[in-house]
Amino acid sequence: MAKKTINNDVLLANIIKGIEEVKGNDIDILDLRDIDTAVCDYFVICNGNSNTQVNAIVSSIQKTVSKDLKDKPWHVEGTDNAEWVLMDYVHIVVHVFQKHIREYYNIESLWGDAKITTIENKY
């Protein structure tokens, strides 16, 4: 059975909703569609304040996307130490960091040609 195609905008909205449900911070969406070497269409980057919150964000995203879209990530890694968790939804890759790890790797600067949209915290 073929996997149904999910609209990127709908998936992005559900990922953002999952992050906001557990008060994830500093949400950025990097639009990589115009970059030839990009591995996906979008990166969603956010951070939590502890490994507990990082894992809560990951869990919230998975629950929200699963409930609303009946989809799950193709691959998830980094949950053991929860400093940087990567969730691969094929066209959208989510990076959930602890703040100091995000600052260290500074992914946004590595993808400087991407269009970045910052989502304002709702709380």
Side-chain angles (χ1 to χ4, degrees):
M1 185 163 94
K3 184 174 173 154
K4 67 178 179 174
T5 304
I6 294 175
N7 179 306
N8 278 347
D9 293 338
V10 174
L11 181 54
L12 277 170
N14 275 267
I15 289 168
I16 301 304
K17 180 177 159 188
I19 295 167
E20 290 176 339
E21 292 271 320
V22 290
K23 296 183 171 46
N25 299 311
D26 304 322
I27 306 167
D28 285 332
I29 300 170
L30 278 62
D31 184 342
L32 307 172
R33 292 175 295 178
D34 293 334
I35 300 174
D36 292 339
T37 57
V39 294
C40 61
D41 293 338
Y42 296 95
F43 279 168
V44 177
I45 304 171
C46 69
N47 50 266
N49 297 317
S50 65
N51 56 351
T52 302
Q53 188 182 19
V54 166
N55 278 328
I57 293 167
V58 170
S59 178
S60 180
I61 292 169
Q62 287 179 311
K63 285 178 189 160
T64 302
V65 171
S66 176
K67 184 176 141 227
D68 294 353
L69 303 178
K70 309 292 185 257
D71 196 18
K72 61 182 185 185
W74 176 72
H75 183 73
V76 177
E77 64 184 61
T79 54
D80 289 346
N81 68 5
E83 290 184 341
W84 177 1
V85 178
L86 182 141
M87 306 174 72
D88 186 348
Y89 281 95
V90 182
H91 295 288
I92 300 172
V93 175
V94 183
H95 300 269
V96 185
F97 288 97
Q98 287 189 42
K99 187 174 176 77
H100 68 285
I101 301 295
R102 180 178 181 175
E103 289 168 355
Y104 178 80
Y105 285 103
N106 195 5
I107 285 182
E108 292 91 337
S109 72
L110 296 175
W111 294 92
D113 293 343
K115 292 184 215 89
I116 299 178
T117 304
T118 299
I119 307 297
E120 295 299 320
N121 290 343
K122 289 187 173 183
Y123 47 89

